[in-house]
Amino acid sequence: MSQQAANGVPCRGKVLTLDNMNPNVRRVEYAVRGAIVQRAGQIEKELKEGVKKPFTEVIKANIGDAHAMGQKPISFLRQVLALCSYPELLEDNKFPEDAKHRARRILEACGGHSIGAYSASQGIECVRQDVARYIEKRDGGIPSNPDNIYLSTGASDAIVTMLKLLVCGEGRDRTGVMISIPQYPLYSAALADLGAVQISYYLDEDKCWSLDVAELKRAVDAARQHCNPRVLCIINPGNPTGQVQSRQCIEDVIRFAKEEHLFLMADEVYQDNVYAEGCKFHSFKKVLFEMGPAYSSTVEMASFHSTSKCYMGECGFRGGYMEVINMDPEVKAQLTKLVSVRLCPPVPGQALLDLVVNPPQPDEPSYNTFMKERTAVLAALAEKARLTEQIFNEVPGVTCNPVQGAMYTFPRIALPQKAIDKAKEEGQVPDMFYCMRLLEEEGICLVPGSGFGQREGTFHFRMTILPPTEKLKIVLQKISDFHVRFTQEFS
Amino acid sequence: MAVVLPCVRGAIIPQSFQSQTLSQPLSSLSATRRGLPKEKMSENGVLSRAKVLTIDTMNPTVKKVEYAVRGPIVLRAVELERELSEGMKKPFSEVIKANIGDAHAMGQQPITFFRQVLALCSYPELLNDSTFPEDAKSRARRILQSCGGNSMGSYTASQGIDSVRQDVARYIERRDGGVPCDPDDIYLTTGASDGIVTMLKLLVCGEGATRTGVMISIPQYPLYSAALAELGAVQINYYLNEEKCWSMDISELQRALDEARRHCNPRALCVINPGNPTGQVQSRQCIEDVIRFAANERLLLMADEVYQDNVYAEGCQFHSFKKVLFEMGPEYSDTVELVSFHSTSKCYMGECGFRGGYMEIINMDDEVKAQLTKLVSVRLCPPVPGQALMDLVVNPPQPGEPSHDNFIKERTATLSALAEKAKLTEQVLNTIQGISCNPVQGAMYSFPRITIPEKAIQEAMDKGQEPDMFYCMKMLEETGICLVPGSGFGQTDGTYHFRMTILPPTDKLTILLNKVKEFHQKFTQQYS
């Protein structure tokens, strides 16, 4: 209360209040850092202040942040970043030649040879060239034009930019955007912020979260009654579900997008995180081009990648890119203009991306260590994916689909009716009630399935598979024990 | 099984999963509504499908966005650079990009201490390296300890690393003579631009005559006009007084506001101090007057202070809006809603590429603040290298620390070079007949007024170009110097300007200024 009010002098309301702020922003939710994480932060503070809890630490298994969970950065990447930050180190013989070589190349591409200069708004040109070459290598030679590459501040930045570009119309002509249920809630948040219409299509939990074109069709037909569907977003490998779509499925999706005249957005940030036998990452671009010119010269698409996941886990650097395919040249000019307003993505992130797409080659000094580190990280993740699925499936009332890829498990949990009723009494969504209990009792922070979307009447949570294996085992055990206890308590 | 489809527009639309029944048969919907593409006749007479995303079906507000600092003239400059590198002959051997406030690109050196700490943070093995000073290592360790897994590669709290926000708060307190600062009011951002856009987004609401209006100076830094266009907010222009060194005039603010109230709902007042493009450093009295005006007219104040260390002119001093606000007593300091912005891109650091920045929020409604915190969480966090850099800017080497002397030396050299170049620029430009340049009191730019002959204005209009764009394009083609026409920032009707940075090294700047002089004389003669 202001001094004025305390003195009895009438105080005027604030200029900016809940009632007169941007109404779209009020609709935005982002569960990955939502209410449960705020409570987790509070508990951490309490622990630090010496408050006694049934646990000694809070385990933040809510967010796909590998380094926070102990994963080590790739040495080579950090060496080059250090060299770029402080080029005096180029004289230091502790650094290998291939690291120095890449640092020099990056610095030469920067204004005044400094990573402190703004870069071109689309991103440093030689980095975009390296990205294009990476894409070509990855996709078996299918050409990639560096001019179609836009570096971005994490993949999130590019995704939001594309959605922004696509949104238009009023009322029943308002742009509708198809996104999976469950989805990574950046999409729902961005669509709320932009006032676009979210069109949900359900992944099939009984078929390992696979995508079903009949379900896409159902969703788009229903949506046409009340909006103008123009975009189809797909996350592959999936978040939160981890499914790796089959090549056939990707073809079917592309065919569907063409038939229904939809712009395809392929979120592929987990492209190196593929674990399950028989699963393979197929880029949408590659499949598109293998389908021949009827598709490859017409379907409009944007593919997204990031430095935050895969084996690098460099979330804090906010590195990423998108590749745009078959974009109208006038729209592309508008896109280029739009990104220029924010000047450029962070240059350290651009440098990092350059190394990701242009890593040590077999004949280079850093190659062996690089491969060793990369393999270790990916193998550990694969092991933890398997372990997680195994342990959760042993718990009555918990069913866990195979974690085929990405970094999360999204098991289905059976909640007793009494618990559901209690949750409702407390004004909480049942799986939030469950997760809050788990947090308070065990100090483990997960995100309730309601934060990602799920079929009505089903409940899930998303947990990362990132803690070190030994710790993960303990966490899995605690959750299992909690689930049994919880079920008993509300039986 | 009944499923509920979440629908963002507010209505829940229950749909039966099994049923394919629709309220309207698809065939009754228009072709567009059914998603069937418009057919287009191409040049060779072949019917082809229109694209999903075209200039007509894209976001209309994005089309209205302009950003002159990297606009058409810069695109042409880049083309020319390419042509030069391919061996094409030009009347010049290099393109000089004096369009953008990018110090390092123009040869300014980074502060050694900052880069040492950043290297240590990037590759902590260097903490064992004896060539790094202890104070650099100590700061690196502190930063790393605040990072998840002691790595800069972790996401941070969305509001920014806690210890960095504490350091920012302490910096603000020191700067403002002890006026308290709560770290919880600090939001680290991806450059100041990010914070500015976020605040504007929060403010925008209403329709038609109740649509949010935002006051911004003419001339202005075109991030503001771009953001307002994109958000579909109403831009309310208040003119700075060129005759009085670009100072702000309350009666002009009042005029602009009163006029705007007829067609929108004015809710915010943006001030850039020191100014961009104009470089003026507002007096303390002026800042008080602005605060009083904002309080009386119930406007949220946005104070863009990214050039706060770039003050050159005798008698000029940077006064933070926060400080002045609090010195005006509780009647104002308890009530006026103020957001102040700072950045690592300017001042003596010039670290544009790191995208570091912060904003301080004063007197924000608690519920709105919670919404702000939620909004920034969607983008996870600002880049950690930029956060680390900001920490060093607000917590630089202290007297007694090993790096102090060198730090002060470098900082002083950079700022005095800028002061020197500011003076030189004003001086040389004012020797040119037909150009008049206000003193460059601060920031990094000169914004001289140029007289363009009537014939040139006519030719420009025939070409569909703004006269000052026409002038600048000619200058670019003939001298390789890339400036930004005043029309990109806004100016009083019938006047023309350009913005040129003062950043090139002094001897290069001298050459540049002389080329501008030659060009202007030639141009004036050509069109007389």
Side-chain angles (χ1 to χ4, degrees), chain A residues 3 12-15 20 28 33 65 67 78 94 114 116 118-119 164 224 261 300 315 326 337, chain B residues 33 49 51-52 65 70 102 104 122 129 151 153 155-156 201 230 267 298 334 337 352 363 374:
Chain A
Q3 284 288 86
R12 300 154 80 181
K14 291 207 182 264
V15 175
N20 64 21
V28 166
R33 281 211 153 166
D65 186 341
H67 290 201
R78 295 306 193 86
K94 280 200 298 291
S114 165
Y118 289 122
S119 73
K164 182 182 290 187
R224 287 198 200 284
H261 207 228
E300 291 148 73
C315 308
N326 293 323
K337 177 191 75 174
Chain B
R33 297 294 318 287
R49 278 172 64 161
K51 286 188 184 279
V52 177
V65 166
R70 281 212 154 162
D102 187 344
H104 290 201
S122 300
D129 187 323
S151 165
Y155 288 123
T156 71
K201 180 185 288 191
E230 199 199 296
R267 301 181 60 223
R298 297 196 24 82
D334 277 351
E337 291 149 72
C352 307
N363 293 324
K374 177 191 75 175

Side-chain angles (χ1 to χ4, degrees), chain B residues 483-522:
Chain B
L483 310 177
V484 190
S487 44
F489 302 87
Q491 56 206 346
T492 302
D493 245 357
T495 67
Y496 308 104
H497 303 77
F498 61 71
R499 188 188 80 165
M500 185 179 103
T501 69
I502 60 169
L503 296 173
T506 312
D507 39 9
K508 198 167 211 170
L509 181 65
T510 309
I511 295 171
L512 221 70
L513 290 165
N514 283 315
K515 289 196 180 213
V516 169
K517 182 173 191 166
E518 271 168 37
F519 169 82
H520 188 86
Q521 288 165 344
K522 194 162 138 247

Side-chain angles (χ1 to χ4, degrees), chain B residues 73 76-77 80 84 89-96 459 463 470-482 515-527:
Chain B
I73 195 160
R76 179 61 188 145
L80 286 170
L84 270 175
K89 275 198 82 56
K90 299 274 171 201
F92 48 85
S93 53
E94 68 168 322
V95 171
I96 299 180
E459 189 173 322
K463 286 201 162 130
F470 176 73
Y471 174 96
C472 289
M473 278 294 199
K474 283 264 180 166
M475 187 185 303
L476 175 61
E477 302 285 344
E478 291 178 25
T479 69
I481 299 169
C482 180
K515 289 196 180 213
V516 169
K517 182 173 191 166
E518 271 168 37
F519 169 82
H520 188 86
Q521 288 165 344
K522 194 162 138 247
F523 183 90
T524 303
Q525 200 142 42
Q526 185 184 342
Y527 288 95

Side-chain angles (χ1 to χ4, degrees), chain B residues 400-436:
Chain B
E401 290 190 293
S403 305
H404 180 258
D405 286 352
N406 206 46
F407 169 77
I408 294 295
K409 196 166 126 225
E410 290 175 352
R411 181 181 193 270
T412 307
T414 296
L415 290 175
S416 54
L418 284 167
E420 180 56 41
K421 293 188 281 190
K423 210 161 64 182
L424 177 71
T425 297
E426 179 199 342
Q427 186 195 307
V428 175
L429 289 176
N430 276 325
T431 65
I432 307 171
Q433 192 159 39
I435 294 191
S436 70

Side-chain angles (χ1 to χ4, degrees), chain B residues 3 48-49 52 194 224 231 332 351 377 526:
Chain B
V3 298
S48 67
R49 278 172 64 161
V52 177
D194 176 28
Y224 290 89
L231 291 166
Y332 293 95
E351 297 281 12
S377 80
Q526 185 184 342

Side-chain angles (χ1 to χ4, degrees), chain A residues 3-4 12-18 20-23 25-28 30 33 63-65 67-68 78-79 82 84-86 89 92 94-95 111-112 114-121 125 156-157 162 164-168 172-174 184 186 189 192-193 195-196 198 200 202 215 218 221-222 224-228 230 258 260-263 300 308-309 313-318 326 328 330-331 334 337-338 340-344 346-348 455-456, chain B residues 1-6 8-9 13 17 22-24 26 29 32-35 37 49-55 57-60 62-63 65-67 70 82 100-102 104-105 112 115-116 119 121-123 126 129 132 148-149 151-158 193-194 201-205 221 223 226 230 267 295-296 298-300 334-335 337 345-346 350-355 363 365 367-368 371 374-375 377-381 383-385:
Chain A
Q3 284 288 86
Q4 273 186 314
R12 300 154 80 181
K14 291 207 182 264
V15 175
L16 182 56
T17 68
L18 214 53
N20 64 21
M21 68 172 274
N22 187 326
V25 172
R26 285 182 66 180
R27 284 195 272 270
V28 166
Y30 183 67
R33 281 211 153 166
I63 187 169
D65 186 341
H67 290 201
R78 295 306 193 86
Q79 286 173 337
C84 288
S85 300
Y86 189 53
L89 291 171
D92 187 326
K94 280 200 298 291
F95 288 88
S114 165
I115 54 173
Y118 289 122
S119 73
S121 298
E125 209 184 312
S156 298
D157 175 29
M162 270 318 307
K164 182 182 290 187
L165 229 52
L166 280 154
V167 172
C168 72
R172 295 178 70 211
D173 289 326
R174 192 68 174 166
Y184 172 53
L186 165 72
D193 190 349
Q198 179 176 333
S200 301
Y202 287 77
E215 165 57 14
R218 177 208 63 74
D221 286 348
R224 287 198 200 284
Q225 303 295 316
H226 61 89
C227 72
N228 181 14
R230 299 179 61 223
K258 183 177 156 84
E260 301 290 337
H261 207 228
L262 301 169
F263 188 105
E300 291 148 73
S308 302
K309 313 298 178 188
E314 297 282 11
C315 308
F317 280 84
R318 315 313 286 112
N326 293 323
D328 177 291
E330 285 187 287
V331 174
Q334 291 288 321
K337 177 191 75 174
L338 183 62
S340 81
V341 180
R342 298 297 292 272
L343 289 148
C344 71
V347 177
R455 287 203 181 281
E456 213 195 340
Chain B
M1 176 202 289
V3 298
V4 176
L5 299 173
V8 169
R9 295 325 272 313
I13 298 174
F17 171 60
L22 305 164
S23 55
Q24 246 186 307
L26 273 179
L29 297 174
T32 323
R33 297 294 318 287
R34 270 183 290 157
R49 278 172 64 161
K51 286 188 184 279
V52 177
L53 183 55
T54 67
I55 203 84
T57 62
M58 68 173 276
N59 187 325
V62 170
K63 283 194 286 197
V65 166
E66 294 302 333
Y67 183 67
R70 281 212 154 162
R82 208 162 271 155
I100 188 168
D102 187 344
H104 290 201
T112 305
R115 295 306 192 85
Q116 287 174 331
C121 288
S122 300
Y123 191 53
L126 292 170
D129 187 323
F132 286 88
S151 165
M152 281 217 296
S154 294
Y155 288 123
T156 71
S158 299
S193 298
D194 176 28
K201 180 185 288 191
L202 230 52
L203 278 156
V204 173
C205 72
Y221 172 53
L223 165 72
E230 199 199 296
R267 301 181 60 223
N296 292 341
R298 297 196 24 82
L299 301 167
L300 185 143
D334 277 351
T335 60
E337 291 149 72
S345 302
K346 314 296 177 188
E351 297 281 12
C352 307
F354 279 82
R355 315 314 286 113
N363 293 324
D365 176 286
E367 288 183 292
V368 174
Q371 291 287 322
K374 177 191 75 175
L375 183 62
S377 80
V378 179
R379 298 297 292 274
L380 290 148
C381 71
V384 179

